[in-house]
Amino acid sequence: MAVKDRDRFSTATRIRLIGEQTAARVYRSQTKRQARRSRLTGRAALLALVVCSLIVALAYPMRQYVSQRADIADLQQEQDETRRRVERLRDLKARWQDDAYAEQEIRRRLHYVMPGETGYIVIDPGAAKQSRTDLDAADRPWYANVWDGVDKADAADQ
């Protein structure tokens, strides 16, 4: 036993004993850490599963809600536009109730003149030239006009 006691106090034995104790502590801390990780991972997985199921359960109603809100906004905008149009039409109706406005519009649109007045209509010179070319086309046979139209279309492609 004296050899064993002497061996127990040797430096190599002490270092080996310290190493074994340290290894045991490290092993215990690793197992505790692994146990904690596994519990945390299980909880995290359960939490993720619950969150995903809530997202899936609420996705369709949220899409419907957003879609309906957009429809409501469109309908409100359409209602505002219709309300403005009704106001314009009411104003126009009120103007047409006035005899002076009706007379003014009749004279402008239908070229009416009052007795004793002389009416003048100014014709655009460009429109007169265009009407002369139409008259030239009316003097020719119809097949010549068709052929000229084909030539003009062909020239436009080139």
Side-chain angles (χ1 to χ4, degrees), residues 127-138:
K129 289 180 183 176
Q130 185 179 10
S131 64
R132 284 190 198 120
T133 58
D134 292 340
L135 289 176
D136 291 341

Side-chain angles (χ1 to χ4, degrees), residues 117-141:
E117 293 179 354
T118 304
Y120 296 98
I121 299 176
V122 179
I123 299 175
D124 184 25
K129 289 180 183 176
Q130 185 179 10
S131 64
R132 284 190 198 120
T133 58
D134 292 340
L135 289 176
D136 291 341
D139 291 339
R140 298 185 318 184

Side-chain angles (χ1 to χ4, degrees), residues 6-155:
R6 195 171 33 123
D7 204 26
R8 191 175 83 182
F9 294 111
S10 73
T11 306
T13 307
R14 284 185 196 163
I15 291 175
R16 187 170 26 91
L17 185 61
I18 291 172
E20 289 173 359
Q21 290 172 350
T22 306
R25 281 192 215 126
V26 168
Y27 178 74
R28 271 186 277 153
S29 68
Q30 284 179 349
T31 56
K32 286 181 184 177
R33 203 176 308 143
Q34 287 174 354
R36 285 184 191 152
R37 278 191 198 150
S38 64
R39 278 189 286 162
L40 183 63
T41 304
R43 287 179 184 170
L46 182 63
L47 180 64
L49 180 66
V50 169
V51 169
C52 288
S53 63
L54 285 174
I55 289 172
V56 168
L58 295 176
Y60 184 73
M62 285 302 295
R63 192 182 114 223
Q64 289 296 322
Y65 174 76
V66 170
S67 172
Q68 288 174 359
R69 294 303 298 173
D71 290 344
I72 289 171
D74 290 342
L75 290 173
Q76 285 175 343
Q77 182 181 3
E78 185 179 333
Q79 183 182 16
D80 292 340
E81 290 172 3
T82 305
R83 194 171 284 136
R84 285 192 295 269
R85 184 170 182 267
V86 166
E87 288 299 319
R88 283 195 309 265
L89 289 174
R90 282 186 184 152
D91 291 343
L92 184 62
K93 180 182 175 187
R95 276 189 267 154
W96 276 102
Q97 298 296 325
D98 184 21
D99 290 336
Y101 179 78
E103 181 181 332
Q104 177 187 358
E105 286 298 308
I106 290 170
R107 291 176 75 151
R108 185 178 64 85
R109 292 181 185 186
L110 302 176
H111 305 291
Y112 278 18
V113 292
M114 297 301 284
E117 293 179 354
T118 304
Y120 296 98
I121 299 176
V122 179
I123 299 175
D124 184 25
K129 289 180 183 176
Q130 185 179 10
S131 64
R132 284 190 198 120
T133 58
D134 292 340
L135 289 176
D136 291 341
D139 291 339
R140 298 185 318 184
W142 65 270
Y143 51 85
N145 292 334
V146 171
W147 194 252
D148 285 343
V150 170
D151 286 339
K152 287 179 185 174
D154 189 35

